[in-house]
Amino acid sequence: MGAATTRAQIVEAADRLFYRNGFDHTSFADIAATVGLSRGNFYYHFKSKDHILGAVIEARVAERREWLRQWEAEEPEPARRIERFIELVLTNREQIQSHGCPVGTLTTELAKLEHPMLGQAACVFTAFRTWLAEQFTLLGQPEQADELAMHVLAFSQGVAVMANAFGDQAFIAREVDRMRDWLRTYER
Amino acid sequence: MGAATTRAQIVEAADRLFYRNGFDHTSFADIAATVGLSRGNFYYHFKSKDHILGAVIEARVAERREWLRQWEAEEPEPARRIERFIELVLTNREQIQSHGCPVGTLTTELAKLEHPMLGQAACVFTAFRTWLAEQFTLLGQPEQADELAMHVLAFSQGVAVMANAFGDQAFIAREVDRMRDWLRTYER
DNA sequence: GTCTATATACCGATAGAC
DNA sequence: GTCTATCGGTATATAGAC
C-alpha cells in the first residue's frame, strides 16, 4: 500500500472522527485503530496533529466546492441553487441530530481552543458564503448579496445547534419550510 | 472562608473557564489557579469534574430564570419580552464573537463527548424555550407557540456560531434588525 | 478545609530496528 | 513504509499530613 493511499485513509478517518468526537477529543490511537496502523507511524505521513487537521480542512473545502459545482450544473435557476443549500440540513438531518454541522462545530471548538487554524476552518464557510452571495446577485440583490448569504448560513447553523442539543429531527423540516418561504420572497 | 463560599467561587471560575476554553479543555489546574486553591482540595467540594459541570449548569439555569423573571417584571407586552431575548446576542456581542453562545457551545461539546449531562445542559435552552412559547401564546399564537420559540432560539444560535467563526460583530446587529422585523409581523 | 505527594492513565511526539 | 519502545508532559483522582 503506497503512501498516498495511506495518507488519504488517515485524512478520511480523521475527518470522520473529528466530526463525530471533536478534534481535541480524537487521539492518534483512535485514528490508528480506524485505519489499522500503529501510532508511531503517523509521523511519517504528518508532522503533527495540526497538520492532519489542515489536511482534513483542505479535504472538506474541496468536497464542498465539488457540491457547489454540481448544484450549478444541475440547477440553472439561482433560487433553486440556494434551495439546494437550504436542503442540506434536511438531507443530513440524522448526522446533524447526532453530531451537529461539521463546519460549525469545528469552528466553535477551534475558537475555544484558541487554535491558530480557526481561520482556515472558517474558509469552509467562506466557500459557501461567496457562492451563495453570487446566487443572490443573480437573483437581483447585488447590494445585499453577502448579507443574505450570511443569513442563509446562520439559518443552517441555528438549525444544526438546536437539532443537536435536543436530538430533534422533526424540528429541521419545519425550519426548512420556513426558509423556503423566505427565499420565495426574493424570486423574481 | 467557609465551604459554601469556596464552592461558589469554584463554580463561578469553572463557569467562566468552561465558556471561554471549553469543558474538556479546562483542567483542575486552570480552575485552581483562578480560585487560588490547590488541585487536590477540589475533591472536598466536588466528587468529580462532572459534578462541577452539574453545578455550573444548575447555576446557569438559575441565572437565566432570573433574567426571565426580570424581563417579565419590566415589560408588560409579550412582544417586547421576546425582543429582550433577541437583544441578548447584541448585548453580549463581544463575548459571543470571542467564545460563542455559552449554552449552544456547551451542548455542542457535550454531544461530541457523548457526555451523559447533555440533557441537563439542554435544560438551559428549555428554560428559554418554555418562556418564549408562553410569550407567543400571549401574542395570540398558542398553536405555533413552541415552533416560534424554537425559531427564535435557532436565530440566536445561528448568529452566535457565525459571529464566532468569522470574528464579526457587525453581522449581529443586521441579523437582530431582521429578527425584530420578523417579530413585528406577529404583533397585534 | 487546605495542603503536598502520589497513583494511574493517556496524550502527542521521537528514536531506531526492520 | 511500518513497526515497537519510550520520552516528557499533563490529566483526573486519591491518600494522608496538618
Side-chain angles (χ1 to χ4, degrees):
Chain A
M1 190 176 299
T5 308
T6 304
R7 197 193 133 99
Q9 277 184 297
I10 291 173
V11 172
E12 193 182 340
D15 191 345
R16 178 184 162 89
L17 287 166
F18 289 173
Y19 174 41
R20 297 177 72 95
N21 305 328
F23 167 69
D24 202 54
H25 196 62
T26 299
S27 68
F28 281 88
D30 295 329
I31 307 176
T34 304
V35 180
L37 284 178
S38 71
R39 282 192 301 281
N41 193 31
F42 276 73
Y43 295 86
Y44 175 80
H45 301 278
F46 295 95
K47 273 191 282 187
S48 72
K49 193 181 180 183
D50 285 353
H51 283 79
I52 299 182
L53 174 61
V56 166
I57 292 172
E58 210 171 309
R60 288 189 183 180
V61 171
E63 191 185 23
R64 268 68 177 177
R65 287 200 194 284
E66 176 59 24
W67 294 354
L68 301 179
R69 203 195 57 75
Q70 272 207 356
W71 294 343
E72 276 190 53
E74 291 172 13
E75 311 287 352
E77 291 293 325
R80 264 300 294 160
R81 291 173 179 175
I82 297 166
E83 204 176 348
R84 287 292 286 269
F85 174 82
I86 291 171
E87 287 164 356
L88 258 188
V89 292
L90 204 57
T91 309
N92 302 324
R93 60 186 180 276
E94 286 183 20
Q95 292 201 310
I96 288 171
Q97 175 183 352
S98 298
H99 313 106
C101 167
V103 190
T105 55
L106 182 61
T107 59
T108 295
E109 181 179 1
L110 296 185
K112 294 235 186 274
L113 302 180
E114 293 184 276
H115 197 289
M117 280 192 170
L118 169 60
Q120 284 296 111
C123 284
V124 191
F125 273 140
T126 305
F128 285 125
R129 179 179 183 171
T130 308
W131 184 84
L132 285 168
E134 284 169 14
Q135 307 314 315
F136 277 112
T137 299
L138 290 174
L139 256 184
Q141 303 289 335
E143 281 119 26
Q144 325 178 56
D146 182 62
E147 187 191 328
L148 294 171
M150 283 292 280
H151 179 68
V152 174
L153 280 171
F155 147 80
S156 74
Q157 295 309 303
V159 165
V161 169
M162 298 311 298
N164 185 224
F166 284 112
D168 183 1
Q169 279 192 32
F171 156 74
I172 298 179
R174 289 194 300 270
E175 284 295 302
V176 166
D177 285 341
R178 190 182 292 277
M179 204 61 185
R180 280 204 187 102
D181 290 342
W182 170 85
L183 179 61
R184 210 157 288 138
T185 65
Y186 287 96
E187 289 187 55
R188 13 182 167 209
Chain B
M1 189 175 298
T5 307
T6 304
R7 195 194 137 100
Q9 277 184 296
I10 292 174
V11 172
E12 194 182 342
D15 191 345
R16 178 184 163 90
L17 287 166
F18 289 172
Y19 176 40
R20 297 177 72 94
N21 305 328
F23 167 70
D24 201 53
H25 196 61
T26 299
S27 68
F28 280 89
D30 295 330
I31 307 176
T34 304
V35 180
L37 283 178
S38 71
R39 285 190 299 284
N41 192 31
F42 275 73
Y43 294 87
Y44 175 78
H45 300 280
F46 294 96
K47 272 191 281 186
S48 71
K49 193 181 179 183
D50 286 352
H51 282 80
I52 299 182
L53 175 61
V56 166
I57 292 172
E58 212 171 308
R60 289 189 182 180
V61 171
E63 191 186 22
R64 269 67 177 178
R65 286 199 195 284
E66 177 58 26
W67 295 352
L68 301 179
R69 203 196 57 76
Q70 273 208 354
W71 294 343
E72 276 189 55
E74 291 172 14
E75 311 287 352
E77 292 295 323
R80 265 299 296 160
R81 292 173 177 175
I82 297 166
E83 206 176 348
R84 289 291 289 267
F85 175 82
I86 291 171
E87 287 163 356
L88 258 188
V89 292
L90 204 57
T91 309
N92 303 325
R93 62 185 179 278
E94 286 183 19
Q95 293 203 309
I96 288 171
Q97 176 183 351
S98 299
H99 313 108
C101 167
V103 191
T105 56
L106 182 62
T107 58
T108 295
E109 181 179 2
L110 295 185
K112 294 236 187 272
L113 301 180
E114 295 184 274
H115 197 288
M117 280 192 171
L118 169 60
Q120 285 296 110
C123 284
V124 192
F125 274 140
T126 305
F128 285 124
R129 180 179 183 170
T130 307
W131 184 85
L132 285 167
E134 285 169 13
Q135 307 313 315
F136 278 111
T137 299
L138 290 173
L139 256 184
Q141 303 290 336
E143 280 117 27
Q144 323 179 60
D146 182 63
E147 188 191 330
L148 295 171
M150 283 293 281
H151 179 68
V152 174
L153 281 171
F155 147 79
S156 73
Q157 295 308 303
V159 165
V161 170
M162 298 310 298
N164 185 225
F166 284 113
D168 184 1
Q169 278 192 33
F171 156 74
I172 298 178
R174 290 195 300 270
E175 284 295 304
V176 167
D177 284 340
R178 190 182 292 278
M179 204 61 185
R180 281 204 187 102
D181 290 342
W182 170 84
L183 180 61
R184 210 157 288 138
T185 65
Y186 286 96
E187 289 187 53
R188 16 178 164 210

